[in-house]
């Protein structure tokens, strides 16, 4: 039967598909790490107290990148260059979601509006990350090779999402509510499209590597389009709501290390 678990199990069991999966994941994580480190360095004067949390956010993403690389190393696999159409983070940036890399490469301090944009972008993408890792945690928490990594990354992504909710609510109370809602909406609608396109691209590559029959690919393609239709109709709303998280100050304190991985 075709299920998320059986699909991922298949990808996990084959060296070539596992290596592509880990390479794609590692690339997105380290790109997120770089972006956050640059944002932390460019935080405007009035918002300096946010800088350590942004640094921590970036350090977590870097750690995730190292974990995915370590998972490959453990199986004696080298990372592969990732096909551009599977590069979720790069595609988001190209579509103007979040802060432009040109801006992050400069030495000009960001504005408060930029910080709000960064948080709104993160609120949407961390929701995706948190849901995806949650799915992996549900099925593979006890897996001998990837269980610990999945649990650690999943916990971190939940923290990132909680932090985004809390900080965005603070900015909303400070009068940025309208800008936040507009940015969230725009970002969510773009993200669900890019997520669909990246899913189709990843699936096509996996299908080729694993020699999936045409019928199986057709079912998966239909599934990805169905998810998009649902997200376009109602699902996107879950990505734009703001709720005070149970866990406050989730990114206060230093990042947890992962010496067993990297
Ligand atoms: Fe991450
Ligand atoms: Fe994250």
């Amino acid at each position: 039967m075709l299920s998320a678990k059986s699909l991922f199990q298949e990808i996990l069991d084959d060296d070539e598909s596992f290596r592509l999966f880990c390479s794609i994941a590692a690339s997105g994580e380290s790109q997120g790490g770089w972006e956050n480190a640059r944002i932390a360095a460019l935080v405007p004067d009035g918002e300096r107290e946010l800088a350590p949390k942004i640094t921590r956010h970036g350090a977590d993403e870097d750690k995730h990148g190292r974990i995915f690389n370590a998972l490959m190393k453990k199986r004696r696999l080298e990372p592969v260059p990732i096909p551009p159409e599977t590069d979720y983070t790069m595609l988001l940036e190209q579509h103007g979601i979040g802060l432009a890399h040109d801006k992050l490469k400069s030495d000009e301090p960001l504005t408060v509006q930029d910080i709000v944009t960064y948080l709104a972008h993160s609120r949407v993408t961390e929701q995706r990350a948190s849901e995806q890792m949650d799915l992996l945690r549900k099925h593979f928490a006890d897996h001998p090779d990837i269980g610990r990594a999945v649990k650690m990354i999943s916990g971190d992504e939940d923290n990132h999402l909680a932090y985004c909710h809390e900080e965005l609510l603070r900015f909303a109370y400070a009068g940025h509510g309208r800008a936040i809602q507009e940015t969230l909406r725009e970002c969510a609608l773009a993200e669900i499209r890019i997520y669909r396109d990246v899913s189709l691209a990843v699936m096509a590559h996996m299908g080729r590597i694993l020699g999936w029959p045409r019928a199986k690919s057709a079912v998966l393609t239909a599934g990805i389009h169905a998810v998009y239709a649902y997200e376009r109709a109602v699902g996107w709303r879950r990505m734009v709501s703001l709720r005070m998280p149970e866990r406050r100050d989730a990114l206060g304190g230093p990042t947890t290390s992962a010496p067993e991985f990297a």
Side-chain angles (χ1 to χ4, degrees), residues 29 60-61 64 126 129 153 157 160:
E29 297 282 7
D60 279 356
E61 306 299 8
H64 299 167
E126 294 297 338
I153 298 175
E157 304 300 7
H160 299 167

